[in-house]
Amino acid sequence: MSVVRVLPDVTGLDKRFDYVVPDDMVATAVLGTLVRIELSGRRVGGWIVELDPPDAKPVDVLKPLAKVSSAGPTADVIALAEWASRR
């Protein structure tokens, strides 16, 4: 099973969370994909910002992605946006 790091699309929350990718979503859960996740008892949208992070928690304690919604920006665009947010 793979793990992804997701940045929730929630105002005022600047934290990233790790989720397990279910087997049926592995092909579509790529960097930049818009997904649905469970966060604090509700489903919210989020963006996959990292694949298989080296510091992720063990798979058995992580929640699975709820849904893959749609393709997002390419890895190059994500890197540019992260760079711009630090400037």
Side-chain angles (χ1 to χ4, degrees):
M1 290 197 154
S2 63
V3 175
V4 292
R5 187 153 290 156
V6 177
L7 178 63
D9 193 11
V10 177
T11 304
L13 182 62
D14 192 26
K15 186 175 177 186
R16 298 165 185 213
F17 300 90
D18 296 339
Y19 288 85
V20 173
V21 180
D23 292 336
D24 61 333
M25 296 182 194
V26 169
T28 55
V30 296
L31 193 63
T33 301
L34 179 60
V35 295
R36 300 292 289 176
I37 56 171
E38 184 180 326
L39 184 65
S40 299
R42 63 185 183 133
R43 278 192 177 184
V44 298
W47 301 91
I48 295 178
V49 294
E50 192 173 347
L51 303 172
D52 292 317
D55 59 342
K57 293 180 180 177
V59 173
D60 57 340
V61 299
L62 296 176
K63 294 180 183 179
L65 291 176
K67 179 182 176 185
V68 172
S69 298
S70 67
T74 64
D76 293 341
V77 173
I78 292 171
L80 177 62
E82 287 179 341
W83 173 82
S85 72
R86 290 188 299 267
R87 304 292 271 147

